[in-house]
Amino acid sequence: MPEAATSRNAPPPAREEQFNDLEQQTEAAHLGMWLFLSTEILFFGGLFGAYTIYRVSYPAAFAAASKDLLMWAGAADTAILLVSSFAMAMAVHAAQTDARRALTVFLLLAAGIGGLFLCLHGYEYYKDFAEHHIPGPSFRYEGGKAPANQVQLFFLLYFLMTGLHSLHVTIGIVILTVLAVQSWRGKFSREYYNPVEIAGLYWHFVDIVWVFLFPLLYLIARR
Amino acid sequence: MSTQIPSASDLAETDFGPPPAKNYLNEETTIRSWLLTTDHKRIGLLYLFTILIFFAIASFAAAMMRLELLTPAGDLVLSQTYNKLFTIHGVLMVWFFLIPSIPTVLGNFLIPLMIGARDLAFPKLNLASWYIFITAGAFTLYAVFAGGVETGWTFYTPLSTKYTNTHVFAMAMGVFISGFSSILTGLNFIVTIHKMRAPGMKWMRLPLFCWSLYATSIIMVLATPVLAVVTMLLAIERLWGVGIFDPALGGDPVLFQHLFWFYSHPAVYIMILPGFGVISELITCFSRKRIFGYEFIAFASMAIAILGFVVWGHHMFLSSQSVYSGMVFSFLSFVIAVPSAIKVFNWTATLYKGSITFETPMLYALGFIGLFTIGGMTGLFVAALATDVHLHDTYFVVAHFHYIMVGGMVLAFMGGLHYWWPKITGRRYPEPLGQLAALVTFIGFNLTFFPQFILGYLGMPRRYHAYPPEWQVWNVLSTAGASILAVGYMMPLGYLIWSLKKGKRAGENPWEATGLEWQTTSPPPKHNFDVTPIVTEEPYAYPLAASDEHLKAEKGRRALEHA
Amino acid sequence: MPTEIVQPKVYLRTFALLLLLLVLTVGANFINLGPFNVAAALTISIAKAALIILFFMEVRYSKPLVWLFASAGFIWLLLLLIFTETDYQTRGWSAQNWRGGTNGQDHVEFNNPASAKP
């Protein structure tokens, strides 16, 4: 198998000097990533907290505002991210089985599909912009079903939450692309694929955030 | 065999030989080698240098305030300047001195040494967190020198978002960025303590200093992101005028307080838990006795870290927060006093029948126990719903939290710095001067802040630059105390710098202390240990045992030998 | 860090389940369940997140420590949400709250007894 040959040619795995062995290094990086993700949960959590308070306070305005979002785009966003997450999981598997070419392809696939998500979301932002739904002095709401202030609060939270999420997607795409290049150059092997794995954790986390954002933002009002 | 238990003071006069030829300080000496170092010990010193600068600026602001309050009339500074002074004092002391103080200086230096590791788990991240800290400091100092901020360190809305025209944005960004430094430090510590312990260093053999920093790190990792969000929201509302906290636009200013205190109350424990850790080390060493109730102290740290997250509402009793919510928060605030009291009882029980000597670190530690107890007990006054109505936003609160922050954390920091100074520099500070400084600090501190309890009880509100003349006596006392306290702070600055060149050589273990950090050279080599140590016993195997049976046996043995 | 290599078919099944749940959550939005619409949407989201965490993120195959670290963030988020919401839900019980009514008249009296005197 060609994959096995690349493994023999791969450079010896890099152990940093503060660790005793590679296993310790891998486990430390893994735990570190999980801790970072718990920080991220609380980081988004502050916004989820604000969202909960205002949604409970202004249920009608939130429902009315939510109707102005493109539900099908939101559903497509979710599907896109799920596909990307699946590709990422397969990338980790490819790394574990020393399939270097598959690893590169899956990493690029995950990053590319992430790019697709950004494009679709960019289109949604464009539509919101055209409809004057960007909070601030130019904000306008003509629905008339709810006070404009409360609708503006919804859109503010919508932009903050999805904006922060898109920022995370962008960072993820950059990381995955770098890893794909490194994988192409033969940096990873069955013994050493730690960066792929912890980048995977990050990428799945970004997916999880969206899994909650989708129903909370797009599905408030029954259609 | 000698019946004399070796005491630390016997060793104080000994001048040990020269330090190892190669250690972390002299391995490389270029500026570049310091600025790009990934050595946890050097990063600890970088932090020490940085936070002392912030401490100096914040202390200057405090001095100006105390000078203003010397007379009842607002005659030294304008009321707005006074507002800026207490904001500078609060922001710099909280985020740029107290929160990083023990964790980033002593924690960075000691955790790998104490657990027998070559470095933290992520040395580059550690350096990155220092640079993030510097960036945050730059934003904050810009805000200070460009004209200051008048909101107080709490940045309450709508004052901060709508009504003030000062540099709130820059300062909020400074706080926002400093949070990431804190998160990375906490993350690094947790992973290090989990994964980098030397063979045989089981959890129940972990020094209590490491336990307390583990608990602190949990708070850093899980609370700080919420501060980041809330300062971000504040900045967005200020820049775009969108009303997330503006009642006129449908927002709720109390939500700001909820999110702010969700971080900032646990942050109070970031500011005291590391102090607990230092005191646990000092008390047991200078009593020559095993710590009493090791497990209780360790788990009390964890309990405080977790309970500390669910008491934040006690800052908001008078903010239109629901009374029922207030009752829950009040109850939980009383509950969290229990683990804190457990620690105090354990320390005093450790002192009991110990062979106590009064070196400088021990003086600071004993001061800590007394002052922390007063600070903690007065905390219950303000945690009770009814009394808080009278005491809220008065000098009683100011005195209460200064007893914890200064009487607790600063004394612990000074005690720890003196205790590990020989390890850090390889030199000893002059002991009599150190003892004198500890005493001066203790007296100055009490004279500064005890009158403030009385002022607060009489009803003097915080954050005003003028007050009715009948309160002048107490304010004069407080200002006099502050000047004594300043002397107490200046003295160590002088003799510690002096000791860098002229102090006696310390040797590996000047205090005859247990703990892995004392088994390597002073200063330690670049990778801490030439051979990875193997741990075979409990952390505090001092000559005097804790249990009664051991004491009786020891007594009997000594009586026999005497006869 | 997982203790075993997860097979692709596990990933594939997880992925299929996730897509199914996505269809469910969109579908539930068209049915009137009253207040249970929110509950349904959140339950499905939690199920989706659990699938991702357990299988894609391989927590199912990891040591207990990873389970602890993975759940800590969510538990703390719940603390934030529950304790904040407790305040908002019980404000109306006594004094008039900030959302209407007499604009916190009770609080003014509560803070400053002198103002209540004629």
Side-chain angles (χ1 to χ4, degrees), chain B residues 213-373:
Chain B
L213 276 171
Y214 184 82
T216 309
S217 303
I218 292 176
I219 304 176
M220 286 175 159
V221 167
L222 291 173
T224 318
V226 179
L227 173 77
V229 166
V230 80
T231 46
M232 191 180 78
L233 290 175
L234 175 84
I236 287 169
E237 174 160 353
R238 197 173 161 78
L239 287 183
W240 279 289
V242 287
I244 191 128
F245 302 123
D246 184 354
L249 294 173
D252 179 15
V254 179
L255 178 62
F256 174 86
Q257 299 184 21
H258 272 298
L259 295 178
F260 180 82
W261 288 114
F262 181 84
Y263 165 76
S264 291
H265 193 78
V268 170
Y269 296 101
I270 299 180
M271 295 183 243
I272 193 67
L273 274 170
F276 292 161
V278 168
I279 299 307
S280 301
E281 301 284 329
L282 301 188
I283 291 287
T284 175
C285 173
F286 293 100
S287 307
R288 316 309 303 164
K289 196 177 144 200
R290 189 194 290 158
I291 194 100
F292 183 88
Y294 169 89
E295 294 87 350
F296 283 91
I297 297 183
F299 289 130
S301 287
M302 300 301 286
I304 289 172
I306 292 165
L307 277 172
F309 274 92
V310 289
V311 298
W312 80 80
H314 66 213
H315 294 270
M316 299 162 57
F317 287 159
L318 300 185
S319 71
S320 91
Q321 175 185 248
S322 142
V323 178
Y324 300 95
S325 198
M327 287 175 189
V328 174
F329 281 126
S330 175
F331 171 74
L332 289 168
S333 307
F334 274 79
V335 171
I336 202 171
V338 175
S340 315
I342 286 176
K343 281 174 179 278
V344 172
F345 287 133
N346 279 311
W347 293 324
T348 40
T350 307
L351 291 172
Y352 177 68
K353 289 192 179 168
S355 169
I356 299 170
T357 50
F358 296 98
E359 284 82 2
T360 312
M362 186 60 162
L363 290 182
Y364 280 114
L366 293 174
F368 174 100
I369 295 180
L371 299 183
F372 172 75
T373 306

Side-chain angles (χ1 to χ4, degrees), chain B residues 19 100 108 133 233 319 322 330 332 348 388 391 425 440-441 456 465 506 520:
Chain B
N108 257 332
F133 184 68
L233 290 175
S319 71
S322 142
S330 175
L332 289 168
T348 40
D388 187 53
L391 299 172
T425 63
V440 171
T441 307
H465 76 319
T520 187

Side-chain angles (χ1 to χ4, degrees), chain B residues 15 38 59 81 278 281 362 383 423 455 493 510 556 563:
Chain B
D15 193 352
T38 52
S59 303
T81 314
V278 168
E281 301 284 329
M362 186 60 162
K423 184 52 65 182
L455 279 171
L493 191 69

Side-chain angles (χ1 to χ4, degrees), chain A residues 62-82:
Chain A
F62 270 48
S66 165
K67 271 201 171 144
D68 283 355
L69 301 180
L70 298 171
M71 185 184 72
W72 294 111
D77 284 335
T78 317
I80 290 171
L81 281 183
L82 288 177

Side-chain angles (χ1 to χ4, degrees), chain A residues 15-20 24 27-29 31-32 35-36 38-39 42-43 46-47 50 53-54 58 135-137 149 152-153 156-157 160 164, chain B residues 118-123 183 187 190-191 194-196 221-222 225-226 228-229 233 236 240 242-244 248-252 255 259 262 527:
Chain A
R15 178 182 64 81
E16 292 176 39
E17 58 187 3
Q18 71 272 25
F19 295 108
N20 292 326
Q24 190 187 25
E27 291 192 355
L31 276 188
L35 275 174
F36 177 72
S38 48
T39 287
L42 269 296
F43 191 59
L47 291 174
I53 298 303
Y54 289 129
Y58 309 128
N149 278 340
Q152 175 172 286
L153 267 182
L156 180 62
L157 287 164
L160 285 175
L164 202 61
Chain B
R118 284 187 288 278
D119 206 322
L120 289 172
F122 310 116
I183 289 171
L187 188 153
I190 292 182
V191 175
H194 268 287
K195 286 292 158 203
M196 311 289 281
V221 167
L222 291 173
V226 179
V229 166
L233 290 175
I236 287 169
W240 279 289
V242 287
I244 191 128
L249 294 173
D252 179 15
L255 178 62
L259 295 178
F262 181 84
H527 287 296

